[in-house]
Amino acid sequence: QNSYIFNLHNCSARTALQVKEELQRTMSSELSHPHLIPFQNSKNDRIEIIQNLSALLSATKSLSSDPAAQKTTCECATILPSLRDSKAIIRTVSLQDIEILESNGCSSDDWSSVYFLYGGDSGSSISAASVGKAIRAQVKRSTFSGRVVLGLDLRQSTTQKEESNPRSLLKPGIHSNTMISNSVIEPGAKVFNNAIISETFIGSNATVLNCGSITYESSSEGFFSDTMTIGVGPEAGGGRPVKVIPESTLVDVCSSLNMSASAGSSNSIFKMPIECTNTIDSNVICGNMLHTNCAINVYLAQDSTIQSSSSVQNAILLPHSSIQNSIVDSVFLQWKSAIVNNSNVSSTLLMECSEIGPNSVVASTVLGPDSHVSCGEVHCSVIGPNTNSHHQSLLISVLWPTGRGNVGYGSNIGSNHTGRIPDQECTVGEGVFWGLGSVIKFPVDLSKSFYSVVAAGVQLPPQSVSMPFSLIMTGGNVGNGMNEIVPGWLLQSSPYTILRSEEKFKSRRKAKCHDFYCGWKIIRPTIVDACMHARNLLVSCKQSGVSAGETSDSKRIFTENDIIQIGKNYMTIRGIDVGIKAYTDLIQRYALDGLLELLHNSAGIDKIEDLYKKAAVSFEPDANTAAISWPLLPWEEASHDNNARLFLHKLYIMSKELPSIAGNDADE
């Protein structure tokens, strides 16, 4: 028999030291923000497993090409989880091994291509009897074809701990498999009752149970890799391609879509590098594959699960993610994300703690952290964090990067009312609520209507609305069929909603890896600046009405001809008054909060005046408020994670709104 004690890295084109140095260089050169370290570590772990599998197969080739190879002791293997603390021994099967295997009901078309892999301090310290005992107990009733590496767990059996999961009672082994070909199975794996396993690496502590076909395929488009291009926006007419990796963040997605409203923004420090594509040359199963009919091109990280699914293809699952009872093609699942219960998902990235299902159809979509889609349909969309669609609804070509909204039952966001090709889209601002049965006809732009409500039953024609905290509802008899808009309605009539939402987003934000950019405040500089701009427009509109002799009881309505920011809706004098009061109250309370902060810090009146005057000249009005562009993304704001800048902005607003507080007149 030929055996070989090896270090997996040393068998590859690059040594272990070279790989380690390369990964360190990658992290130091490509990462400029410490919060990205977990993302890069995940990427590096995947690259390491891919390289080590290649190294292991290289070791088997060198062994088979040299029948007279002598045992050689190298540094201990550091790759196989089951062999972390020992040397990895790989050897061809002996005649005695073949006898044992055949007596256990095993067969192979070429026993010379079958190898055993196990751990030990040296070849002499492992007795033939202990190896033979392990073969008898762990390898039974299986057929092997091609190059197959079978792991043997030589550790002494210990008493099983009581666990709620019955699979924990299974002992490591390879039993009752119709065909295993060109695969590597680590010591400690549990592989039972499967039909076909081909081109697959199964890690230690992984479980593959009662599965049909697990195979690897390359297509005309190339090999299975850890990059994917998702087409969002218009379903036809070009679309907006987004290149993602399993560790992509919303910052990466928004940057790829050119959503940055400010050139040279600091958002570049948050970006994950995606230029390098890593080909995955086989299935990798380090988690659990259970009762699944067909799996093609899958990567399961440790503690991830695929269970009771009809078909799973081209899927990468990071730790603690899962796919259950669904059909999946071309998906990346981040930590603790899930696809469940009769869902059909394709070309989709699920970020941390997001979930699809039950009974959902999702295609070509980026689903942000802590977001959920249930019983609905989503296509060609970017859905931001903390967004929920818990009912039967439809979203097509929706760009909603900052999320934090809700989709009511029966909402149809994506009506192709033109009868032409679906070449339009809907851009949605943070916190928008789509009411029951609302129908949205494209194109629609609500990207600057933060935390607005589209009421139940509203049919929204193509338009652009830029009024934060507004209510859009079915119009009365005076609107000639138009909907009515009440600017600032949420601030005036339901301020509790803002407070509740702030606490809700904080308590439900479970995606810890994305927390560094998803924890922004609702009332922040961008929102306040948008409210100031909207308030000033309303004041100007009202003044023009007053000059025409109209009163608050006037039945005159205002349309986009008077103020284009209200879109294809009408607004009454009373609605203008509500908006002016609501926006002004928010702006002034925001400014007074800055003054209160000063007083809490026991600042003297002289210091208050100095800071006040400094802030009055240190900020320029937002030049992008009325521009046709995406609003400033929360993580791009200068005040994001910078309390000093936030404080100065509050004082700046106070200098504009309440100049008399510091004893100055309005011109100072």
Side-chain angles (χ1 to χ4, degrees), residues 35 39 249-251 270 334 351-352 367-371 383-387 401-404 430 451 501-502 504-522 524 634-636 640-641:
H35 293 298
F39 297 88
T249 67
L250 281 172
V251 179
F270 299 105
Q334 293 187 1
M351 295 188 184
E352 186 180 9
L367 190 61
D370 297 303
S371 293
I383 307 299
N386 291 106
T387 303
T402 48
R404 290 189 167 185
E430 177 185 335
Y451 295 94
S501 296
E502 192 81 74
K504 179 179 69 175
F505 298 145
K506 183 178 179 180
S507 63
R508 297 182 183 178
R509 198 165 61 244
K510 307 299 183 183
K512 300 304 180 185
C513 292
H514 294 263
D515 189 65
F516 70 98
Y517 71 92
C518 286
W520 65 81
K521 299 282 189 180
I522 294 178
R524 59 183 190 276
W635 50 84
E636 291 183 331
H640 184 74
D641 286 340

Side-chain angles (χ1 to χ4, degrees), residues 208-273:
V208 182
L209 177 65
N210 291 333
C211 293
S213 172
I214 303 174
T215 59
Y216 178 87
E217 296 179 1
S218 58
S219 65
S220 58
E221 298 178 356
F223 291 94
F224 179 40
S225 71
D226 63 356
T227 59
M228 174 171 55
T229 299
I230 300 175
V232 301
E235 293 180 285
R240 302 175 184 269
V242 181
K243 187 176 181 180
V244 299
I245 61 175
E247 293 80 14
S248 289
T249 67
L250 281 172
V251 179
D252 305 322
V253 173
C254 292
S255 177
S256 179
L257 292 172
N258 297 318
M259 289 181 175
S260 176
S262 58
S265 170
S266 61
N267 76 330
S268 60
I269 67 172
F270 299 105
K271 289 179 62 179
M272 275 291 295

Side-chain angles (χ1 to χ4, degrees), residues 207 267 271 497 532 626 649:
T207 300
N267 76 330
K271 289 179 62 179
T497 300
M532 285 189 67
H649 183 266

